[in-house]
């Protein structure tokens, strides 16, 4: 969900500024990236409605947009960086680096110490003869690295605080530290919004952009904005491994994409002090990157549910029925269309709506044990004994007739309060104490099925 929020803010920023929203797939990790995960990524973004202007399936002037298809490009850039002296071969192992730090009385976890910067050709040849394969490192400068962040104003990393960093593995495979800036440069990316957890890598990227400028790959450094963390339970960064942090949880749970995006937009930004519910078009029109709060935001599942419910209410009745049908596939379109208005104002998710209407399509309802115990005891049986004959005698099985008959025999004749009068019937018909409006439910279920369930409850 944190990644979705990042994509959303990039989308809104591009739309607000009449810019170009670029979707690039960073899939160079062959151990983790599969075709299935790639297709799932596309499906998720399309479901969310975060339409991209350039990228997979859409195309664009700077393709291909999958990094796994750009390896020749990276190899060419690396060759130029090496020739220009921005990159050097490094043979030191992490263990050797730690040992040098200890020997010098330094913290062994300081990171790479620049040992290989000035290796002679003879030393490099000896390492290669011993079977070592070098990684390639970028030389960090001896001065501070400063940029003006779109969200956090001026940020400075002091000289020496960021070690020379690796851009290719020993086998030549490119790393994120190379592919991301190279693609940004070649695709003419002007603005990058990303999570604050990536801020420590920004000085490295800026240094590499400057090297890319030196070798003629680009002529500018993009602007950066680092979005605040999204925090989950226990004040920990929201993780996709936690149920509340995974987009799949909400897709399966019957949330609307516009409801999810609306809530995620509130994690670090607001459209107005007294307004929480808005459309994505309204967000795009109002979104100013200067208004994004730099402080961490907390993901509140309950607030997310409330915002989603508001968007369910905003749907036209026909569209609500169409979306609901996907979660109630066993029902006919006519049944869903007729029943949907009964629950639209009562539910917070489409799954909740489908569960509430499932009694219409089940041959045998699954009755809640607590509901049975509470409503179908001695008092409930007295209600059913009076209601069943009255309903059997009805000439017309419609909402108005059903309500008139039941109010007469239960409220007027037996003197029951409506809650006590209709509760047993509701449980007998739906299996639950909470359901769509009772009389409409009876009409939709039909005479034969309704009477059969009432008689079964009596038995």
């Amino acid at each position: 969900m944190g990644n979705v929020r990042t994509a959303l803010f990039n989308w809104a920023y591009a739309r607000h500024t009449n810019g170009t929203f670029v979707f690039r797939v960073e899939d160079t990790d062959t151990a983790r990236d599969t075709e299935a995960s790639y297709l799932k990524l596309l499906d998720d973004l399309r479901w969310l409605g975060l339409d991209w202007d350039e990228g997979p399936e859409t195309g664009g002037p700077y393709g291909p947009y999958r990094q796994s298809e750009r390896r020749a490009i990276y190899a060419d850039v690396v060759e130029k960086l090496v020739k220009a002296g921005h990159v050097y071969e490094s043979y030191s192992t992490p263990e050797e680096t730690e040992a040098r730090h200890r020997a010098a009385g330094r913290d062994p976890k300081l990171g790479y110490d620049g040992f290989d910067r000035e290796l002679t050709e003879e030393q490099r040849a000896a390492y290669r003869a011993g079977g070592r394969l070098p990684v390639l490192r970028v030389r960090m400068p001896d001065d501070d690295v400063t940029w003006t962040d779109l969200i956090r104003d001026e940020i400075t990393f002091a000289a020496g605080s960021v070690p020379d960093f690796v851009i290719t593995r020993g086998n030549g495979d490119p790393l994120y530290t190379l592919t991301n800036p190279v693609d940004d440069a070649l695709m003419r990316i002007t603005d990058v919004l990303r999570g604050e957890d990536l801020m420590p890598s920004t000085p490295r990227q800026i240094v590499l952009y400057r090297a890319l400028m030196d070798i003629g790959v680009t002529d500018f450094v993009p602007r950066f904005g680092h979005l605040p963390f999204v925090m989950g339970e226990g004040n920990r960064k929201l993780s996709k491994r936690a149920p509340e942090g995974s987009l799949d949880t909400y897709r399966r749970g019957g949330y609307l994409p516009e409801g999810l995006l609306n809530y995620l937009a509130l994690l670090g930004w607001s459209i107005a002090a007294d307004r929480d519910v808005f459309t994505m078009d309204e967000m795009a029109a109002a979104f100013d990157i200067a208004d994004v709060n730099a402080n961490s935001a907390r993901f509140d599942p309950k607030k997310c549910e409330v915002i989603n419910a508001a968007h369910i209410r905003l749907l036209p009745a026909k569209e609500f029925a169409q979306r609901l049908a996907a979660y109630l596939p066993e029902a006919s379109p006519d049944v869903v269309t007729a029943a949907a208005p009964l629950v639209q104002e009562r539910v917070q998710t489409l799954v909740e709506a489908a569960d509430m209407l499932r009694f219409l399509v089940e041959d045998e309802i699954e009755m809640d044990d607590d509901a049975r115990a509470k409503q179908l005891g001695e008092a409930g049986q007295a209600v059913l004994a009076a209601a069943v004959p009255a309903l059997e005698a009805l000439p017309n099985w419609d909402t108005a007739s059903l309500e008139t008959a039941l109010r007469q025999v239960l409220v007027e004749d037996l003197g029951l309060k409506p809650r006590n009068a209709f509760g047993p019937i509701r449980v007998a018909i739906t299996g639950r104490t909470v359901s769509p409006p009772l009389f409409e439910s009876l009409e939709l279920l039909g005479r034969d099925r309704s009477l059969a369930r009432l008689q079964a409850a009596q038995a």
Side-chain angles (χ1 to χ4, degrees), residues 132-166:
R132 290 204 191 188
L133 296 175
V135 300
L136 294 181
R137 292 184 183 272
V138 171
R139 296 177 184 271
M140 289 297 290
D142 295 328
D143 50 3
D144 297 346
V145 178
T146 300
W147 74 94
T148 301
D149 198 90
L150 294 168
I151 296 169
R152 301 165 188 274
D153 298 326
E154 187 172 287
I155 296 175
T156 296
F157 279 70
S161 63
V162 181
D164 295 350
F165 61 96
V166 178

Side-chain angles (χ1 to χ4, degrees), residues 72-383:
I73 295 171
Y74 305 137
D76 179 64
V77 171
V78 166
E79 184 179 354
K80 293 176 181 177
L81 288 170
V82 171
K83 287 181 178 178
H86 294 292
V87 170
Y88 63 93
E89 294 181 353
S90 175
Y91 294 86
S92 293
T93 66
E95 293 76 16
E96 289 170 341
T97 301
E98 285 192 16
R100 289 194 295 266
H101 283 311
R102 284 195 176 93
R106 298 188 296 261
D107 181 351
K109 302 300 181 184
L110 277 175
Y112 180 66
D113 58 356
F115 178 82
D116 303 83
R117 273 190 173 201
E118 308 303 331
L119 290 179
T120 65
E121 181 53 41
E122 289 77 12
Q123 289 172 312
R124 288 193 289 269
Y127 279 126
R128 288 193 291 269
R132 290 204 191 188
L133 296 175
V135 300
L136 294 181
R137 292 184 183 272
V138 171
R139 296 177 184 271
M140 289 297 290
D142 295 328
D143 50 3
D144 297 346
V145 178
T146 300
W147 74 94
T148 301
D149 198 90
L150 294 168
I151 296 169
R152 301 165 188 274
D153 298 326
E154 187 172 287
I155 296 175
T156 296
F157 279 70
S161 63
V162 181
D164 295 350
F165 61 96
V166 178
I167 59 171
T168 67
R169 294 187 175 93
N171 62 3
D173 284 349
L175 297 176
Y176 167 87
T177 48
L178 171 75
T179 60
N180 190 275
V182 168
D183 286 345
D184 281 352
L186 293 174
M187 294 179 183
R188 311 296 290 171
I189 300 298
T190 59
D191 298 76
V192 178
L193 302 183
R194 58 189 195 163
E196 66 174 292
D197 54 320
L198 292 174
M199 199 176 343
S201 71
T202 305
R204 301 184 301 192
Q205 294 203 357
I206 289 173
V207 168
L208 185 51
Y209 287 124
R210 292 171 181 168
L212 295 173
M213 293 171 66
D214 182 59
I215 63 173
V217 172
T218 187
D219 54 4
F220 66 92
V221 176
R223 291 180 291 266
F224 285 92
H226 290 89
L227 302 169
F229 280 132
V230 178
M231 310 303 289
E233 289 291 328
N235 205 31
R236 293 188 297 268
K237 184 185 171 188
L238 193 66
S239 166
K240 66 181 179 182
R241 294 169 185 83
E244 73 275 14
S246 170
L247 177 61
D248 283 346
T249 297
Y250 298 89
R251 288 194 67 172
R252 291 194 301 267
Y255 283 69
L256 306 183
E258 52 265 58
L260 275 181
L261 293 177
N262 183 163
Y263 176 67
L264 290 173
L266 298 173
L267 302 181
W269 179 80
S270 64
I271 195 167
D274 57 350
R275 183 180 175 196
D276 281 344
V277 178
F278 45 84
T279 68
M280 289 302 95
D281 285 343
E282 290 173 322
M283 179 185 181
F287 188 81
D288 187 338
I289 191 61
D291 295 334
V292 175
N293 193 321
N295 296 324
S296 297
R298 181 172 300 281
F299 188 93
D300 182 351
K302 291 294 185 185
K303 179 68 175 291
C304 182
E305 195 174 61
V306 169
I307 296 294
N308 190 69
H311 279 273
I312 283 179
R313 314 280 186 272
L314 292 173
L315 290 176
K318 183 177 181 181
E319 185 174 352
F320 173 68
Q322 290 172 343
R323 299 207 199 185
L324 175 58
Y327 293 85
L328 200 62
E330 60 269 45
S332 70
D334 289 343
V335 167
V336 176
T337 299
L342 304 182
V343 297
Q344 186 170 1
E345 297 296 322
R346 294 166 172 249
V347 298
Q348 295 178 302
T349 70
L350 295 175
V351 162
E352 184 184 356
D355 288 345
M356 198 173 281
L357 294 177
R358 195 153 275 115
F359 76 95
L360 292 171
V361 296
E362 293 175 332
D363 291 331
E364 292 187 16
I365 58 171
E366 183 177 340
M367 191 171 291
D368 179 79
D369 289 338
D370 291 339
R372 178 193 287 111
K374 183 177 180 180
Q375 295 290 349
L376 298 183
E378 184 176 343
Q381 291 299 327
V383 167

